[in-house]
Amino acid sequence: MIESVRVRLALWHSGVLAVLLLAFAAGTYSYLARSGLQRTDELLREAARAFIVELDAASGGANPALSTTAEVARDFRLGGTRVLVFDAGARLVAASPVGRHQRHADPERIARALAGRPFATTLLFTVPDSGGSYRVYTTPTEVGPRRYVVAVVESLRELRASLDGVRDTFVLAIPLALLLSALGGYVLARRSLAPVSLMSERAARIGAGNLDERLPVPNPRDELGRLARTFNELLARL
């Protein structure tokens, strides 16, 4: 058991601050992760809508050839997204060029996620990969008599890197803040308890031969001042 009141106060101060900082760090990290994923999902939805509009415009509402679909997919650009077009049987029929952030995105995994599901199903899911996770949004569309499933893929690498930077900042900042808090709490406790040490030393020197001495009362209105005044009144009665 720690006998020093100053150390106990400093530890209590640091412990309370540690709980607050950890709760703040966890809440901040969770909020950033959730909001970043929501922004990515909204980007994927916008990209899917834009691609479907371009595909419909290129086909003129008629039965588009597969070459037309492939050409629209090849020319489509929106941020760092990649478009994959599957037929109703979950077979890949067109894809936009592979960008530097999508080189590990595997269309086969997306096809497996689509296989066996009703055509009208809209999906939003994350695909883990050796090159990093990818967020995928799939939505069905019909262009003339053809039925397609448009999948828009976005790498989560930048989001993960940003979150890793936030995590590393917390890992460095929280221990430093706790160390400074412990030192500051110890100094504050030492200054606050300095009158107690002074009263203890003065009381130890008072004996039967010097009952006329009194304890110092630095601030008669606080708790330590009232304690010193009470002890002085006891000496006066003696």
Side-chain angles (χ1 to χ4, degrees):
M1 181 178 180
I2 300 175
E3 297 181 356
S4 174
V5 176
R6 288 173 292 190
V7 175
R8 289 204 300 269
L9 288 176
L11 291 178
W12 271 104
H13 180 265
S14 299
V16 172
L17 182 61
V19 172
L20 294 177
L21 288 177
L22 290 175
F24 172 78
T28 301
Y29 186 90
S30 176
Y31 170 77
L32 292 176
R34 185 171 61 254
S35 61
L37 198 61
Q38 288 175 350
R39 288 194 299 269
T40 301
D41 293 345
E42 184 59 32
L43 174 63
L44 294 177
R45 293 188 183 95
E46 292 179 1
R49 287 194 293 264
F51 175 79
I52 291 173
V53 169
E54 289 191 16
L55 180 61
D56 188 66
S59 65
N63 185 5
L66 291 180
S67 59
T68 302
T69 304
E71 182 179 357
V72 174
R74 185 176 62 250
D75 295 337
F76 183 79
R77 297 288 187 278
L78 183 60
T81 60
R82 185 188 183 198
V83 174
L84 305 173
V85 182
F86 299 87
D87 61 16
R91 291 181 294 270
L92 183 67
V93 297
S96 61
V98 178
R100 61 188 181 92
H101 293 305
Q102 292 87 34
R103 61 181 181 272
H104 293 291
D106 186 5
E108 291 297 326
R109 293 192 177 187
I110 301 173
R112 287 195 296 268
L114 297 174
R117 293 180 179 272
F119 174 76
T121 302
T122 297
L123 300 177
L124 189 60
F125 56 95
T126 300
V127 176
D129 204 290
S130 58
S133 298
Y134 296 84
R135 193 69 171 168
V136 181
Y137 174 74
T138 66
T139 184
T141 185
E142 297 185 12
V143 183
R146 292 186 180 272
R147 305 171 74 191
Y148 293 121
V149 175
V150 177
V152 186
V153 185
E154 171 76 5
S155 172
L156 296 178
R157 184 176 303 174
E158 293 185 4
L159 176 60
R160 298 303 179 191
S162 177
L163 293 175
D164 289 344
V166 173
R167 182 196 60 199
D168 294 341
T169 300
F170 283 142
V171 169
L172 293 175
I174 290 179
L176 180 60
L178 292 178
L179 177 60
L180 295 177
S181 172
L183 293 176
Y186 181 81
V187 172
L188 181 62
R190 183 176 181 179
R191 293 188 58 182
S192 300
L193 295 176
V196 176
S197 299
L198 181 59
M199 287 189 294
S200 178
E201 294 175 0
R202 183 70 62 84
R205 294 198 299 265
I206 297 177
N210 58 347
L211 290 177
D212 57 331
E213 292 191 19
R214 297 293 182 268
L215 299 183
V217 185
N219 185 359
R221 291 184 299 275
D222 64 9
E223 291 82 354
L224 297 180
R226 290 196 294 270
L227 175 62
R229 190 171 63 249
T230 301
F231 192 81
N232 289 337
E233 292 174 355
L234 173 62
L235 292 176
R237 289 195 299 272
L238 291 176

